[in-house]
Amino acid sequence: MCSNSYWSSSLFNMVDVLERNSGFNNEEMWKQCELLRSVIFQTIETKVGRGKQVRVLQTFKHDTPKEVRERIVNSCEYYKQLHLKDMERNNQIKFRDYQNDIIRKGTEIVTKYGFVYLAMEVRTGKTLTSLGIAEKINSSNVLFLTKKKAISSITNDFDLFKPSYSLCVTNYESLHKIDPDIPWDLIICDEAHSMGAFAKPSKRAVQVKDLIAKTKANVILLSGTPTPESYSQMYHQVYGIPNNPFKEYKTFYKFCSKFVVIKTKMINGLSMNDYSNGMYTILEEMEPFMINYTQAEAGFIAETIEEVFEVELKESTYKLIKKLSRDLIVQGKEEVILGDTPVKLMSKMHQLYSGTVKFESGKSMVIDTTKAEFIKAQWEGCQIGIFYKFKEELEALKQVFGDELTTELSVFEDTYKNIALQIVSGREGISLKKAEYLVYYNIDFSATSYWQSKDRMTTKDRPKNEVFWIFSKGGIEEQIYKAVTKKKDYTLAHFKKDFYL
């Protein structure tokens, strides 16, 4: 079963039918099958017997086996019903012209190679397009892997689309709960770049590889940013697919010997190999398997307007930060805040400048709700999406917003509540098109988080997105913002330079 996920059974019992012709829609297949039926069921008059006993019988003109006739009859009814479903679906949902074109191309690529990579920018309709390809390649059991926050959005698309196959939508973390006996014939990997860790593969990349090996399923990979930080991230996204272009390189290190300029870097005084300098030839090798599509090509004209608000925290918060910066430790009656290494100090200051802290014991605490109070007052009466960084920041928001806040996308869409999402888990695979504004309680060190999360409101019909950042006066957030807007992660080197360590 699909635990902690969504499961929908097939609309049809799969019967023995003719395989779909490449690029044919359901109406075209229905007409093709009807034409075949008209041919094989042609009859001729045949005389039987002699004299007064002679009889004229209608017999089939062509000597076609009974099972073939039954298969063609089944096919006529099957594709007719699918066409009727298409007509019903068109009243609910309609593919854009470019999506129809991508579905056609994607179907051809999957049919030829067993997989396709849809590198479509956010809000261009990757999910619906992949469901359309699944229909065209005659899938029966489709497994859709995504992030937990995105499940409801994907199931809504599926319910509107009403395809003929069965669908299971689950998050990558629940892969181990998937029923191993279900014969998946298509696996769709949403936000595929999340499998791109190197030099060693991530747990999810290994699990997907094993599942592909077991089921021999076709694969559709989806991402708006296939290689957000390094071309080297492509290897483990596709290494489990039999026909991937790097299949002759059995390990990442062998792959690097041809496609990566290997450098060395010093980490804690040790010289380590750096495999991040992947060559552009990686994308060239992937070209036959990829379909790229941008928001500009789709006709998106949304303008994103960003504004920074600076707030003054409590005096006690600044005193705490100052003491930690000077002494590298703050000893309380029961808890300790420790910043005895640059990494720890950077993390603690990042927390404190937004009003929370995690102690050495592992417990955490809200110490200042100034940011949350400012957000509530500034956007009172508006429905907003709020991004936070640290877990305890959600508690600060809950303290201030109370019942006016939710963390569930379905509740946000069905009510007038505001939604709070953690930046990394909420930056991909979901739509906040209902939000009037996006507000950032804090900012992530990752440039990927910056560029992906702030695009959550974008739709083709929305001319303007307004995004607001809430920074503390004198805090670390402004320095992080300067780095990520230039598509650079905020690193320890930046921190040491900015705070003179």
Side-chain angles (χ1 to χ4, degrees):
M1 289 296 294
C2 257
S3 303
N4 300 320
S5 62
Y6 172 92
W7 175 267
S8 177
S9 297
S10 173
L11 299 175
F12 303 96
N13 292 321
M14 292 301 296
V15 293
D16 184 23
V17 297
L18 297 176
E19 197 171 313
R20 185 186 298 275
N21 292 341
S22 179
F24 273 41
N25 62 29
N26 291 317
E27 183 180 14
E28 291 166 336
M29 282 301 300
W30 174 36
K31 290 180 178 179
Q32 178 80 359
C33 293
E34 289 291 356
L35 178 62
L36 287 173
R37 177 156 67 174
S38 70
V39 171
I40 67 166
F41 279 89
Q42 286 180 356
T43 59
I44 56 175
E45 293 184 348
T46 304
K47 292 182 179 180
V48 179
R50 295 182 179 180
K52 294 181 179 180
Q53 301 298 318
V54 72
R55 288 179 300 152
V56 177
L57 300 178
Q58 295 289 332
T59 61
F60 289 123
K61 182 178 181 180
H62 303 287
D63 185 20
T64 306
K66 178 181 178 182
E67 60 270 19
V68 174
R69 296 182 191 278
E70 290 178 351
R71 191 179 187 205
I72 291 174
V73 171
N74 287 341
S75 300
C76 289
E77 184 61 23
Y78 176 73
Y79 287 110
K80 176 184 176 182
Q81 291 302 318
L82 288 181
H83 171 59
L84 293 176
K85 277 291 175 187
D86 287 343
M87 300 298 289
E88 178 186 347
R89 177 191 306 143
N90 286 339
N91 295 325
Q92 299 284 337
I93 197 165
K94 188 174 179 65
F95 288 115
R96 297 171 183 147
D97 289 343
Y98 72 82
Q99 288 177 308
N100 280 319
D101 188 43
I102 293 172
I103 289 171
R104 179 184 60 78
K105 292 178 182 176
T107 299
E108 292 174 358
I109 294 172
V110 172
T111 302
K112 184 175 182 180
Y113 299 112
F115 83 103
V116 65
Y117 200 129
L118 301 186
M120 300 170 65
E121 288 188 353
V122 294
R123 307 276 70 81
T124 56
K126 293 189 295 294
T127 298
L128 196 56
T129 302
S130 68
L131 296 180
I133 293 173
E135 177 89 330
K136 283 291 181 113
I137 62 175
N138 243 14
S139 302
S140 299
N141 294 301
V142 178
L143 177 63
F144 199 116
L145 303 175
T146 187
K147 290 193 170 186
K148 190 172 183 179
K149 290 286 185 183
I151 290 176
S152 63
S153 176
I154 292 163
T155 57
N156 287 341
D157 281 348
F158 180 83
D159 290 339
L160 288 172
F161 185 47
K162 296 183 174 66
S164 60
Y165 49 81
S166 299
L167 179 76
C168 171
V169 187
T170 192
N171 56 312
Y172 285 98
E173 290 73 19
S174 297
L175 253 175
H176 64 285
K177 300 177 183 177
I178 293 296
D179 188 341
D181 296 323
I182 296 177
W184 307 110
D185 50 14
L186 176 65
I187 299 171
I188 303 175
C189 299
D190 195 17
E191 308 302 343
H193 60 266
S194 68
M195 297 188 292
F198 61 88
K200 293 182 178 180
S202 63
K203 179 180 178 181
R204 69 177 53 176
V206 173
Q207 288 178 315
V208 170
K209 178 179 183 289
D210 291 344
L211 191 59
I212 294 170
K214 177 179 174 59
T215 61
K216 314 300 182 188
N218 291 320
V219 179
I220 300 177
L221 301 168
L222 308 178
S223 179
T225 53
T227 52
E229 290 147 7
S230 166
Y231 295 143
S232 301
Q233 290 174 297
M234 185 59 73
Y235 179 80
H236 285 130
Q237 294 181 58
V238 301
Y239 84 130
I241 301 171
N243 287 327
N244 84 81
F246 314 114
K247 58 182 179 293
E248 66 181 278
Y249 306 98
K250 299 303 181 185
T251 68
F252 176 77
Y253 302 103
K254 290 181 180 179
F255 160 82
C256 289
S257 66
K258 181 173 181 180
F259 293 101
V260 177
V261 178
I262 304 172
K263 298 181 178 179
T264 58
K265 61 181 179 181
M266 299 300 294
I267 301 178
N268 295 326
L270 297 175
S271 178
M272 307 285 287
N273 283 340
D274 179 2
Y275 299 101
S276 63
N277 194 23
M279 302 180 198
Y280 186 75
T281 50
I282 294 171
L283 292 191
E284 291 177 340
E285 291 292 321
M286 282 293 298
E287 189 173 345
F289 315 96
M290 294 187 79
I291 299 176
N292 296 278
Y293 206 78
T294 66
Q295 287 186 352
E297 290 174 301
F300 283 70
I301 55 173
E303 176 189 10
T304 299
I305 300 172
E306 297 184 51
E307 186 174 349
V308 174
F309 285 101
E310 192 174 80
V311 299
E312 184 96 30
L313 301 179
K314 294 177 182 178
E315 185 179 350
S316 58
T317 305
Y318 285 116
K319 286 182 178 178
L320 190 60
I321 295 170
K322 185 177 181 180
K323 180 173 176 56
L324 181 64
S325 299
R326 184 185 66 236
D327 301 337
L328 305 182
I329 185 171
V330 177
Q331 179 72 59
K333 291 182 179 179
E334 297 180 358
E335 300 287 355
V336 175
I337 306 172
L338 197 59
D340 57 342
T341 68
V343 172
K344 275 191 178 181
L345 184 61
M346 181 170 71
S347 179
K348 298 305 177 189
M349 288 180 67
H350 195 188
Q351 296 165 31
L352 289 166
Y353 274 120
S354 286
T356 70
V357 65
K358 186 174 183 179
F359 302 112
E360 283 301 294
S361 66
K363 296 179 181 178
S364 53
M365 178 181 178
V366 177
I367 61 170
D368 193 331
T369 57
T370 300
K371 281 192 173 184
E373 291 166 7
F374 177 85
I375 294 169
K376 190 174 190 303
Q378 185 72 23
W379 288 280
E380 187 73 46
C382 301
Q383 189 177 23
I384 61 175
I386 307 171
F387 279 113
Y388 64 90
K389 165 69 176 172
F390 297 107
K391 182 179 178 181
E392 200 65 23
E393 292 169 1
L394 176 60
E395 295 304 313
L397 289 165
K398 287 179 177 179
Q399 287 179 25
V400 173
F401 279 83
D403 291 339
E404 298 176 35
L405 190 74
T406 183
T407 58
E408 297 299 324
L409 188 61
S410 58
V411 176
F412 175 71
E413 291 174 339
D414 295 339
T415 69
Y416 201 70
K417 291 186 176 185
N418 306 293
I419 189 169
L421 296 170
Q422 203 276 338
I423 295 172
V424 173
S425 62
R427 73 188 185 189
E428 300 167 336
I430 64 168
S431 173
L432 296 180
K433 61 185 178 183
K434 194 182 175 187
E436 296 173 60
Y437 309 101
L438 283 187
V439 181
Y440 283 78
Y441 185 101
N442 203 345
I443 186 168
D444 191 53
F445 293 141
S446 165
T448 300
S449 292
Y450 168 78
W451 290 101
Q452 289 187 339
S453 62
K454 74 188 184 78
D455 215 9
R456 291 301 99 195
M457 292 194 301
T458 299
T459 68
K460 194 172 188 295
D461 303 318
R462 187 171 192 153
K464 183 171 68 174
N465 298 327
E466 294 185 74
V467 178
F468 299 93
W469 300 86
I470 314 304
F471 296 163
S472 56
K473 186 176 180 180
I476 190 175
E477 305 100 296
E478 184 180 356
Q479 305 304 323
I480 300 172
Y481 184 73
K482 288 178 181 178
V484 296
T485 53
K486 296 176 183 177
K487 297 190 176 182
K488 296 180 179 179
D489 292 347
Y490 189 81
T491 64
L492 187 59
H494 288 101
F495 177 68
K496 289 180 178 180
K497 180 181 177 182
D498 293 336
F499 290 89
Y500 309 104
L501 297 180

